[in-house]
Amino acid sequence: MCKRFLSIILSAALCTGLLSGCGGSGAAESAGSTSAAQTSAASAPAAEPEKDITITLWQQAANTAEATLAMQQSFQKDNPHIKLNIVETPDNGTDAIIAAIAAGNAPAAIQMGYPTVMSYIYRNACLPIDDFIAETPDFANFEKTQVESFAVNGKHYAVPYDKYVMGFYYNKRLFEEAGVTSTPATWDEFLETAKKLTNPAKQQYGFGLDAIQWGCWHFETWVWGAGGDLTKQNSDGTLTLTFTDPAAIKAAEFYRTLKKEKVIQSDGTKNLEALTKDFAMGKSAMIYDSINAGTLAKFVDAGAKAEEIGYFAFPKGPSGNAYTQAGANAWVLPATSDMDIANAGWTYIMYANSKNELMNTLKEQAAKGPLGAAILARTDVKVSDIGEIDAEMQAVMDASNLISKPEFYGKGAVGSFADDMVAKIFGDTNSDITKVFQEYQDKAAKAVEEFNKSVKESNN
């Protein structure tokens, strides 16, 4: 990846973050100094830090599993020279972290999904980890294809901790009460099912639709089902935007139909956390999320009964086909010139993703119900070794995996534009869909230009 391009992108991102008021007491690093930090950290040996050091981790207590808290206590006992400074923060978003990197007070390790990792790489905002890997024998136990999915131009940037495939969860009790005996197999059936499951007298609605928080994440799946995509990867690796693809327009129209028929949440400002709570409390009957034990545990923690939850694969769209999204989550080391922080961050990441800690997490999930067929990053752990596997979840996960696709090409570069685009047509139902999509395609042109420039230069 072209370092000149990365520096340009990082510089712009840092300016944006600092102007928004994010930052600390330290002076902001320039894009050049951040680049130097990455080079320094990448070339230095990944030795275990011996002196006392404090590293910061950003965390949200409401979303932190008991197994994670127990792991952090164990980490402190096993690594007394590394003190964890846990900072409660409501904002783990890219802009906030990029600003913290510039200010020199970023967390030492961050969890994020595939598109976000790619955006950090483009911004030169995370460290390559190849030298750390070389000094870590346990890394051989990580599944190779997941590791390679976070590699760019031969360099690796992230430690995967799971792979996921998306699908639908539904409330069996609400289905039964509404007289619905089967799950929807097409968009039309999905709409009719949502209508039957909507009961204003009970403040109950059919489907929790995420359109304002990372809106294009779920929207892309509907676009695929309509027969198109939001971008195109050209033969030379460059990117072409297709926001105005007829399939994207058709998917947006379906969103509008769901809203017009009042089968989704009446409060259009609800984010994913709020939609999750609604589903868990029986206020909504269907929700789209990753099919695995972790998500099931999340719903149970929020008040759902595991025995009332069922699953189904994405219904077929107007194209006659159904698709769903598959992805991966991982840990990264934010760019820093402090090698003590980088080494301690690496020690924490590998401890959190050790065989022992993964087993503890799975045991916690098993205590809340049958385990799902999680796609683990480690090859030395099997879900079946922990407890009973949810056969229904296994079947839907397998079916969803067969129709899964990675997120649209170049999302790390243009995803924020697509997010805003979806949020706008969802919030303003009087807006012209095609004009709005063209507007945001035009706004993303500069990002596409920079992305393509970097691809061409890296190919030379």
Side-chain angles (χ1 to χ4, degrees):
M1 186 63 62
C2 174
K3 182 156 278 191
R4 177 173 171 271
F5 163 66
L6 299 178
S7 297
I8 291 172
I9 295 296
L10 178 59
S11 179
L14 295 179
C15 290
T16 300
L18 292 171
L19 287 173
S20 68
C22 298
S25 58
E29 296 181 59
S30 68
S33 64
T34 304
S35 178
Q38 175 166 342
T39 302
S40 174
S43 59
E48 178 77 15
E50 296 179 354
K51 64 181 183 181
D52 290 344
I53 188 168
T54 298
I55 62 173
T56 296
L57 299 173
W58 288 3
Q59 205 156 281
Q60 295 175 336
N63 298 323
T64 303
E66 289 297 325
T68 299
L69 297 176
M71 177 275 292
Q72 290 172 341
Q73 291 181 349
S74 297
F75 177 84
Q76 294 273 229
K77 292 179 181 179
D78 295 341
N79 298 274
H81 59 290
I82 303 176
K83 180 181 178 181
L84 300 181
N85 175 34
I86 307 297
V87 176
E88 175 73 18
T89 176
D91 186 4
N92 288 333
T94 296
D95 288 344
I97 295 174
I98 291 292
I101 292 173
N105 58 11
I110 314 172
Q111 294 172 277
M112 58 184 67
Y114 173 81
T116 308
V117 173
M118 292 298 108
S119 73
Y120 273 60
I121 296 172
Y122 299 144
R123 296 177 178 192
N124 210 28
C126 60
L127 302 177
I129 59 173
D130 296 275
D131 288 338
F132 293 94
I133 292 173
E135 298 293 330
T136 309
D138 185 47
F139 204 81
N141 291 307
F142 285 78
E143 202 273 317
K144 186 174 181 180
T145 58
Q146 292 189 49
V147 172
E148 293 302 319
S149 68
F150 295 102
V152 174
N153 289 338
K155 292 183 178 181
H156 298 83
Y157 290 88
V159 178
Y161 62 86
D162 70 8
K163 179 182 178 181
Y164 65 88
V165 62
M166 301 287 287
F168 282 91
Y169 288 74
Y170 73 96
N171 186 306
K172 293 179 178 180
R173 175 177 56 81
L174 297 184
F175 266 57
E176 183 178 354
E177 291 174 356
V180 180
T181 58
S182 62
T183 55
T186 66
W187 285 17
D188 289 342
E189 290 180 9
F190 185 88
L191 175 59
E192 292 307 311
T193 299
K195 287 179 180 179
K196 293 177 181 178
L197 291 161
T198 298
N199 188 337
K202 294 183 178 180
Q203 295 185 320
Q204 175 185 313
Y205 59 95
F207 171 47
L209 173 63
D210 171 46
I212 65 162
Q213 183 183 23
W214 309 311
C216 72
W217 176 27
H218 293 185
F219 181 72
E220 65 185 348
T221 315
W222 299 94
V223 177
W224 296 338
D229 209 338
L230 292 172
T231 62
K232 176 185 176 183
Q233 180 179 2
N234 302 314
S235 59
D236 61 353
T238 56
L239 171 69
T240 297
L241 296 183
T242 55
F243 286 1
T244 56
D245 186 314
I249 307 303
K250 190 167 292 186
E253 290 172 345
F254 190 70
Y255 267 35
R256 290 262 179 96
T257 298
L258 293 171
K259 188 172 185 178
K260 179 182 177 181
E261 296 294 339
K262 298 181 179 180
V263 299
I264 61 172
Q265 67 274 16
S266 58
D267 182 357
T269 65
K270 286 189 174 182
N271 60 16
L272 281 171
E273 183 178 358
L275 294 175
T276 292
K277 289 180 180 178
D278 278 0
F279 178 76
M281 299 306 295
K283 292 183 178 181
S284 70
M286 297 182 289
I287 194 169
Y288 183 61
D289 211 325
S290 54
I291 302 293
N292 56 43
T295 302
L296 176 61
K298 175 181 69 174
F299 291 135
V300 172
D301 286 343
K305 296 180 180 179
E307 64 272 17
E308 292 184 352
I309 294 180
Y311 323 91
F312 63 93
F314 211 97
K316 292 181 179 179
S319 68
N321 296 314
Y323 299 97
T324 195
Q325 184 257 326
N329 295 306
W331 286 86
V332 301
L333 295 172
T336 178
S337 59
D338 190 329
M339 278 308 301
D340 290 332
I341 293 292
N343 276 303
W346 178 258
T347 300
Y348 178 82
I349 288 174
M350 292 307 299
Y351 190 97
N353 292 277
S354 65
K355 178 179 179 179
N356 182 63
E357 294 306 326
L358 176 55
M359 296 279 284
N360 289 340
T361 297
L362 291 173
K363 288 175 182 177
E364 178 185 325
Q365 293 171 357
K368 299 173 182 178
L371 285 165
I375 306 173
L376 304 178
R378 294 193 66 101
T379 59
D380 53 355
V381 176
K382 294 181 180 180
V383 176
S384 57
D385 293 338
I386 307 300
E388 178 187 358
I389 295 179
D390 185 328
E392 182 183 0
M393 181 186 288
Q394 170 82 56
V396 173
M397 183 178 180
D398 289 344
S400 297
N401 201 30
L402 291 175
I403 59 171
S404 67
K405 298 171 61 174
E407 296 204 64
F408 64 85
Y409 184 66
K411 184 178 179 181
V414 301
S416 61
F417 299 98
D419 285 340
D420 293 344
M421 171 183 81
V422 173
K424 184 169 183 177
I425 63 97
F426 180 75
D428 181 4
T429 54
N430 293 319
S431 61
D432 184 288
I433 294 173
T434 301
K435 288 182 179 179
V436 170
F437 282 19
Q438 184 63 58
E439 173 191 351
Y440 282 90
Q441 181 163 301
D442 293 341
K443 287 182 178 180
K446 182 64 176 178
V448 174
E449 180 183 340
E450 294 289 357
F451 179 91
N452 288 343
K453 182 179 179 182
S454 73
V455 170
K456 291 176 181 178
E457 291 181 351
S458 67
N459 287 340
N460 294 331

